[in-house]
Amino acid sequence: MNLSVELAPKHKKGLRLANPVMTASGTFGWGTEYQHLFDIQRLGAIVCKGTTLKPREGNPQPRIAETPCGVLNSIGLQNIGVEAVLREKAPVWAGWRVPVLVNIVGETMEEYAELARRLDGVAGIGGLEVNIGCPNIKAGGVEFGTRPGPAAEVTAAVKRATSLPVMVKLTPKTGDIAEVAQAVESAGADAVSLINTPRGMVIDIAQRRPLLGNIYGGLSGPAIRPIALHMVYSVAGAVKIPVVGIGGIATSSDALEFIMAGASAVEVGTANFTNPGAPLEILEGIEQFMEAEGVSDINQLIGAGRG
Ligand SMILES: Cc1cc2nc3c(=O)[nH]c(=O)nc-3n(C[C@H](O)[C@H](O)[C@H](O)COP(=O)(O)O)c2cc1C
């Protein structure tokens, strides 16, 4: 059975995954935290926490609120900064079979390019996921992802600065996500991933104030799955580059829906918090489905449910 997928067919080195199950940025740490729980080398790829030029403390607490069928988070990109990633994390990743994509986010176009430059040619880094949709920071992030023009500009700047495969992560906070996807494709993106979290909030009625320290947060989990699925369907119909589906994926059936909508791979996010073994269970479930359905190559399922 072939489970292998290619996420950067236009790129000279490519980005071949052993299977289509990845982990979503911010929900799987640096990968190392999960090593003792299961064989993470079996995954298709790992995407690390959003990385900025300088370390960030993140937003005021509380930064997590439970909602029906989902989670609101306003972490605000707490991370150790790119220098520590290069010093402490990349050397560990270099010994892994599973490719690691570094999720990068900047406050300005130049910061994105600088991050891409610093990560270029570093052993242990398989590619970049460019986060142009972080809802939780005051400057940068989501501002670049809401319109096709700025999204394309960031993509071009990152592509110029790196020889790594570049996947651009899109936000649902836009008029037409397919248009943004087409713009980043024209600017040279090797793949797109979607969706990042839409904004939401909760009010603590006893305290009579917003529950999150940052007032709003990003909504994730099963609550956003049908929205994400439709966006993946729309984008996959509008671009030729591979599409990676993200949003509330918790089971192999969820993952297969995204793959049949046109995703070449999926990222598992919030599900990791309640079931750290979810990515592996999803992979095994996909294998079982293929066996039961007599499908010998996962690529036959990509887009198979578009109708
Ligand atoms: C606690 C938390 C932290 C996150 N941090 C990041 C991040 O640093 N960069 C990023 O691109 N997305 C981040 N995300 C968004 C996820 O990668 C994913 O796009 C989103 O949660 C939807 O997928 P899910 O419903 O499977 O969680 C974060 C999500 C959560 C819940």
Side-chain angles (χ1 to χ4, degrees):
M1 221 155 49
N2 177 45
L3 277 127
S4 161
V5 292
E6 173 59 58
L7 287 193
K10 289 192 314 182
H11 188 270
K12 62 179 185 307
K13 278 181 273 177
L15 181 57
R16 181 150 287 280
L17 313 191
N19 64 70
V21 183
M22 310 169 62
T23 57
S25 178
T27 66
F28 206 71
W30 306 99
T32 45
E33 297 88 335
Y34 284 74
Q35 259 180 312
H36 64 286
L37 292 173
F38 66 92
D39 183 7
I40 61 170
Q41 306 296 330
R42 286 181 60 196
L43 297 175
I46 288 169
V47 184
C48 79
K49 175 66 191 164
T51 300
T52 50
L53 274 180
K54 296 267 165 1
R56 284 176 66 103
E57 298 269 324
N59 287 328
Q61 301 280 0
R63 308 197 293 195
I64 294 274
E66 272 196 57
T67 65
C69 289
V71 174
L72 277 174
N73 91 82
S74 61
I75 307 297
L77 289 174
Q78 179 184 7
N79 82 100
I80 58 179
V82 71
E83 287 313 317
V85 169
L86 291 171
R87 205 174 48 241
E88 297 163 22
K89 307 299 174 188
V92 179
W93 297 335
W96 290 359
R97 188 171 78 237
V98 57
V100 177
L101 274 66
V102 177
N103 180 287
I104 58 169
V105 58
E107 291 190 5
T108 61
M109 206 82 77
E110 292 69 38
E111 280 191 17
Y112 279 98
E114 181 61 19
L115 281 159
R117 245 189 309 277
R118 298 230 194 143
L119 294 161
D120 189 33
V122 176
I125 299 175
L128 301 179
E129 182 177 62
V130 185
N131 175 4
I132 55 169
C134 183
N136 293 322
I137 54 173
K138 295 274 175 299
V142 77
E143 282 165 31
F144 294 105
T146 52
R147 286 171 298 130
E153 271 183 66
V154 178
T155 307
V158 168
K159 279 296 284 186
R160 275 196 299 273
T162 186
S163 59
L164 287 167
V166 172
M167 178 161 89
V168 179
K169 183 167 177 180
L170 306 178
T171 172
K173 191 171 179 277
T174 178
D176 183 354
I177 197 164
E179 245 179 61
V180 179
Q182 283 170 333
V184 304
E185 176 182 44
S186 302
D190 295 292
V192 284
S193 55
L194 59 142
I195 57 174
N196 211 317
T197 51
R199 271 184 192 169
M201 72 182 293
V202 171
I203 288 185
D204 179 339
I205 57 169
Q207 303 287 334
R208 301 187 186 190
R209 62 168 187 236
L211 195 147
L212 292 171
N214 189 48
I215 300 176
Y216 59 83
L219 182 63
S220 65
I224 66 168
R225 190 191 310 132
I227 297 168
L229 186 66
H230 179 244
M231 289 188 167
V232 164
Y233 177 87
S234 304
V235 167
V239 299
K240 293 198 175 61
I241 51 176
V243 176
V244 173
I246 321 169
I249 297 170
T251 66
S252 56
S253 313
D254 302 339
L256 284 161
E257 282 194 57
F258 279 84
I259 290 168
M260 290 187 189
S264 296
V266 295
E267 293 182 16
V268 181
T270 301
N272 292 311
F273 298 139
T274 45
N275 176 15
L280 205 55
E281 286 171 22
I282 289 170
L283 172 59
E284 285 167 356
I286 292 173
E287 285 170 338
Q288 280 160 18
F289 179 86
M290 288 172 64
E291 218 166 277
E293 298 276 319
V295 177
S296 58
D297 187 342
I298 187 77
N299 291 281
Q300 292 165 4
L301 293 177
I302 298 171
R306 295 184 58 83

